[in-house]
Amino acid sequence: MSPTYADLIGHFIDAINDTDAARRRATIEKILTPDCTYTDPEIAVEGHDALDAAFADLQRRIPPGFRFSLAAPVDAHHHQARFFWRFGPEADAPAATGSDVAVFADGRIRHLYAFFDAANA
């Protein structure tokens, strides 16, 4: 059975949070096309190597206990999905929130466009 778009988004969130470099890279290769792109207000990267490096850099900068998680169910149609996320300690109010749009091809994520809400105080 092929993963659903919601499954792929869940695995994407897992990859962002993963501090194990080998496991994170394996997840990226499994769920994203080789020509994938990721764009947010701070970076724009293309391909598995660049995305993995961006996630590794993020892991070095985030405070202990902070994680990304879905803030609502994934909304998907026509090979695209929109999802809302939160970032911060799981038991506390989020430090930041945002939303992403994913575009799928060949059963994997091809493009991700991230939007940040204002950081929460």
Side-chain angles (χ1 to χ4, degrees):
M1 176 185 251
S2 297
T4 67
Y5 293 155
D7 292 336
L8 290 169
I9 298 304
H11 294 310
F12 176 76
I13 297 291
D14 292 342
I16 294 172
N17 290 323
D18 203 337
T19 58
D20 181 287
R23 187 174 53 223
R24 181 181 57 245
R25 180 57 184 239
T27 300
I28 288 170
E29 291 178 1
K30 181 178 177 182
I31 66 165
L32 290 119
T33 63
D35 62 342
C36 66
T37 63
Y38 173 85
T39 306
D40 72 28
E42 298 174 354
I43 63 168
V45 298
E46 182 175 349
H48 292 163
D49 290 342
L51 185 61
D52 189 30
F55 287 177
D57 180 58
L58 178 65
Q59 283 299 321
R60 285 189 290 274
R61 294 183 291 122
I62 63 174
F66 276 53
R67 297 181 53 79
F68 287 89
S69 60
L70 290 174
V74 174
D75 181 21
H77 63 84
H78 293 94
H79 307 292
Q80 60 188 353
R82 170 181 68 164
F83 59 99
F84 297 89
W85 50 265
R86 65 181 304 281
F87 174 69
E90 290 184 33
D92 294 333
T97 57
S99 61
D100 289 17
V101 173
V103 178
F104 302 91
D106 302 322
R108 295 192 279 176
I109 301 168
R110 184 167 191 187
H111 303 293
L112 272 153
Y113 306 99
F115 298 85
F116 302 163
D117 297 334
N120 299 325

